Amino acid sequence: MKVNYNTSDKTIEIEDGLKTHYLVLKMLMILNLGNAALNLYDINKKEIGFIEIVWIVVGLISLVLLYFFIFKKSTQNKLAVTSIERLDTTSLFGRNIFSIVLKNGKKRDLIEIKSKEDFNQLKTLFSNIGIHN
């Protein structure tokens, strides 16, 4: 587990590659949006066929995911204890996703925590700090 508590400035430090991972995902979503826009540029000059519908769907999905990554997810490596609301567990396709819910409405995913035991250690750390679920 690569989550540490810094007692001097009361912050949680998370060491993982989430910031670069999300940057790559954001760039891919922007690339998808640009590609969809280029493919749909002259849509009023021709009929809407199957390929155009596919590009509309790809563009809309990319737009929604880009909004999600920009406004709903956080990639901060250093979180102040006062900005943390609680710990959260979400199950997606039988896989648990652990995250920290922040007071500004964003979530910080914990990609290094894979097992329930690591999550229980993190819960213990957070309860010692004073953050309760």
Side-chain angles (χ1 to χ4, degrees), residues 60-130:
L60 289 175
I61 289 171
S62 296
L63 192 64
V64 168
L65 287 176
L66 192 61
Y67 171 79
F68 183 70
F69 283 127
I70 291 174
F71 295 111
K72 296 296 180 182
K73 293 288 184 172
S74 175
T75 59
Q76 292 178 335
N77 291 335
K78 210 173 196 185
L79 299 169
V81 173
T82 56
S83 69
I84 297 173
E85 186 176 325
R86 61 182 160 81
L87 286 171
D88 190 28
T89 306
T90 306
S91 180
L92 182 66
F93 300 118
R95 184 177 172 262
N96 287 334
I97 300 170
F98 304 108
S99 60
I100 299 173
V101 178
L102 303 174
K103 290 184 180 177
N104 63 0
K106 292 185 176 187
K107 277 188 173 183
R108 170 59 162 92
D109 290 333
L110 302 168
I111 60 173
E112 293 291 322
I113 297 178
K114 304 279 186 200
S115 66
K116 195 70 171 173
E117 293 82 23
D118 289 341
F119 186 67
N120 288 336
Q121 287 177 354
L122 188 66
K123 265 185 170 178
T124 306
L125 173 71
F126 273 41
S127 64
N128 291 340
I129 294 170

Side-chain angles (χ1 to χ4, degrees), residues 6 26 32 35 38 41-42 51 53 55 59 83-84 92 105 113-114 123:
N6 189 348
K26 288 176 192 177
N32 275 346
N35 203 1
L38 286 175
Y41 177 69
D42 58 350
I51 297 297
I53 292 172
W55 280 112
S83 69
I84 297 173
L92 182 66
I113 297 178
K114 304 279 186 200
K123 265 185 170 178

Side-chain angles (χ1 to χ4, degrees), residues 12-76:
I12 301 287
E13 295 176 359
I14 304 168
E15 299 171 10
D16 58 0
L18 189 67
K19 187 174 272 195
T20 57
H21 181 74
Y22 277 3
L23 179 65
V24 169
L25 285 174
K26 288 176 192 177
M27 295 306 289
L28 285 173
M29 292 306 121
I30 291 170
L31 185 66
N32 275 346
L33 276 173
N35 203 1
L38 286 175
N39 281 303
L40 296 172
Y41 177 69
D42 58 350
I43 198 166
N44 56 356
K45 295 180 183 175
K46 58 184 178 181
E47 294 180 11
I48 296 179
F50 179 73
I51 297 297
E52 286 78 19
I53 292 172
V54 169
W55 280 112
I56 290 171
V57 170
V58 167
L60 289 175
I61 289 171
S62 296
L63 192 64
V64 168
L65 287 176
L66 192 61
Y67 171 79
F68 183 70
F69 283 127
I70 291 174
F71 295 111
K72 296 296 180 182
K73 293 288 184 172
S74 175
T75 59
Q76 292 178 335

